[in-house]
Amino acid sequence: MLTENLDLIAESAKDFAEKNIRPFLMEWDESQEFPIQLFKEMGHLGFMGVLVPEEYGGSGLGYDAYISIIDEIAQVCGSIGLSVAAHNSLCTNHILQFGSEEIKNKYLPKLASGEFIGAWGLTEANTGSDAMRMQCTAKKEGEYYILNGTKNWITHGISGDVAVVIARTGDLLDSRGMTAFVIDRGTVGFSGGKKENKLGMRASETAEMIFDNCKIHESQVLGKEGEGFIQAMKILDGGRISIAALSIGIARGAYLAALKYSKERKQFGKPIASFQAISFKLADMITKIEASEALTRKAGVLKDKGLPCTQESAIAKYFASETAVEVATDAVQVFGGYGYTKDFPVEKFYRDSKLCTIGEGTSEIQKLVIARNILGKL
């Protein structure tokens, strides 16, 4: 994409976040409100279908624009950035990548416009990265599958209008024993469960999805039976780029707040930015942020070209998420006692940042993915 166009898209996201998110972010954080109407408004700007082709009602943009949009929104509020990322890269992208034309035409226009909010269900209470031991099952009965089980830690688990759900249709530990389904909210036997009370990302809804003899027609299968786990691993490549972009935004937001404060706050008769201890912290922050962005955009280029990017997305996600935590921690330190209060922005960046090292594969899992890719099978 031309730099001028990318700048315009980033500026659009920045303006929206400043006008529509910043005034309410602490109110939403304190109350754990998931502001659904905000996402409808972002749908009008194309932020809910960034990667969806225009023929399905989307923006038809690539990962370069997508990374910029997530970055700009997360600089203001990580929670909203997280929900935009999960909606686009998980639910919507799974349907785009593996849905039939009928399914794509049915769901993508509504997801891209923000009329529908999307959820994606892989994780369970006892199976996070160990997804092949999932207990949520789908048993075939004629033209239907009967789903039973629970999915946990699901973004938009209660409020999502449609969910992509991976359930076990075969044997335990069989990578071809799981299948992906598209399930509408309101389907009998499908309900939202407990909403999590989280440390950070509090305005992004995280909840259970419960399936109790939920009857799903075979036409709602994404791809073929048995392909769900393999599809999910491919979707996570893009998902990890999303979390890397989210991490960059959180880190940049914390850095900019610390930079501004360091120029204004005076001690011993001069701005604290003039002290080497502070200036070196700021230098480390921007260096790590720039490196994170370079790694993330490299992964995005490969994804746009349809080339393998498992290693690159894992590297980007690992480095950027750890950077977000480090930068947010240092930002609190720059603010001193004020950084520990809710009157200043960095305590929220500090709380929000930690999720980035956990969601869509922990840092430890990213290192495992990277190691396996560079070492192969020993």
Side-chain angles (χ1 to χ4, degrees), residues 371-378:
R372 284 177 175 174
N373 269 275
I374 61 176
L375 294 173
K377 291 184 178 179
L378 292 177

Side-chain angles (χ1 to χ4, degrees), residues 288-341:
K288 290 173 183 176
I289 291 167
E290 291 290 324
S292 296
E293 182 172 4
L295 290 169
T296 303
R297 291 199 180 276
K298 178 184 177 183
V301 167
L302 294 174
K303 191 80 171 112
D304 274 337
K305 291 181 177 180
L307 297 172
C309 64
T310 298
Q311 179 170 319
E312 288 77 8
S313 65
I315 289 172
K317 197 269 188 188
Y318 168 51
F319 189 83
S321 63
E322 292 292 338
T323 290
V325 173
E326 292 168 15
V327 169
T329 301
D330 281 346
V332 171
Q333 199 71 16
V334 169
F335 273 75
Y338 291 113
Y340 205 66
T341 72

Side-chain angles (χ1 to χ4, degrees), residues 63 89-90 129 232-247 296 299 309-318 320-321 356 359-362 365-366 369-370:
Y63 273 82
S89 68
L90 299 179
S129 300
M233 294 304 102
K234 292 178 180 177
I235 292 302
L236 283 173
D237 284 345
R240 286 166 180 165
I241 296 171
S242 294
I243 299 299
L246 178 68
S247 302
T296 303
C309 64
T310 298
Q311 179 170 319
E312 288 77 8
S313 65
I315 289 172
K317 197 269 188 188
Y318 168 51
S321 63
C356 297
E360 297 195 35
T362 62
I365 288 294
Q366 304 313 313
V369 170
I370 296 161

Side-chain angles (χ1 to χ4, degrees), residues 272-293:
I272 62 172
S274 65
F275 298 118
Q276 190 178 77
I278 300 300
S279 65
F280 277 18
K281 278 189 189 300
L282 295 167
D284 282 339
M285 288 181 191
I286 191 60
T287 299
K288 290 173 183 176
I289 291 167
E290 291 290 324
S292 296
E293 182 172 4

Side-chain angles (χ1 to χ4, degrees), residues 152-221:
N152 296 68
W153 307 104
I154 308 303
T155 305
H156 315 144
I158 294 170
S159 298
D161 299 282
V162 60
V164 171
V165 178
I166 295 90
R168 188 158 56 81
T169 49
D171 295 332
L172 206 65
L173 300 179
D174 181 2
S175 64
R176 293 193 173 272
M178 287 156 279
T179 302
F181 301 86
V182 186
I183 307 175
D184 290 280
R185 184 71 61 180
T187 302
V188 176
F190 174 27
S191 61
K194 175 191 174 187
K195 180 177 177 178
E196 301 297 339
N197 185 8
K198 306 193 299 281
L199 167 71
M201 302 291 196
R202 289 166 62 83
S204 178
E205 180 185 274
T206 305
E208 289 179 318
M209 293 194 300
I210 300 168
F211 303 94
D212 183 8
N213 290 320
C214 182
K215 193 175 181 181
I216 306 298
H217 193 264
E218 61 187 6
S219 63
Q220 295 294 101
V221 169

